[in-house]
């Protein structure tokens, strides 16, 4: 992401959804329960379901300036 691009809630949701779809190409439902910027970085929480019938929760941390995914947890 370029330095002039804006890292906002919509951008965070977009890159998290793209990353999840790469990891789980059979996602049928994706819901964000919270996307917040408590300090410098963004944190996104949510749930997704797949066509194989399982549901998972996720948490992503995204850099507030560059939009880079800093880490994630899927449970």
């Amino acid at each position: 992401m370029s330095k002039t691009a804006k890292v906002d809630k919509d951008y965070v949701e977009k890159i998290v959804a793209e990353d999840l779809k790469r990891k789980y190409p059979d996602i049928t439902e994706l819901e964000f329960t919270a996307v917040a910027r408590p300090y410098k970085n963004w944190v996104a929480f949510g749930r997704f379901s797949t066509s194989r019938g399982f549901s998972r929760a996720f948490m992503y941390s995204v850099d507030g300036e560059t939009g880079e995914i800093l880490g994630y947890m899927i449970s």
Side-chain angles (χ1 to χ4, degrees):
M1 171 168 207
S2 72
K3 291 257 184 202
T4 60
K6 184 178 176 184
V7 178
D8 60 8
K9 181 180 183 246
D10 292 335
Y11 182 79
V12 170
E13 287 180 356
K14 177 184 170 214
I15 63 168
V16 168
E18 288 172 357
D19 190 64
L20 283 169
K21 288 176 184 173
R22 275 194 299 278
K23 291 174 174 49
Y24 299 92
D26 61 338
I27 288 178
T28 56
E29 291 183 45
L30 175 62
E31 175 189 6
F32 287 91
T33 56
V35 179
R37 189 174 184 183
Y39 184 57
K40 288 178 154 183
N41 299 323
W42 287 89
V43 181
F45 297 92
R47 298 191 65 78
F48 67 90
S49 300
T50 69
S51 62
R52 292 178 279 165
F54 66 82
S55 179
R56 299 275 193 259
F58 64 84
M59 188 278 305
Y60 273 76
S61 177
V62 178
D63 188 285
E65 291 184 17
T66 65
E68 176 185 359
I69 295 173
L70 300 173
Y72 66 92
M73 181 182 74
I74 299 172
S75 61

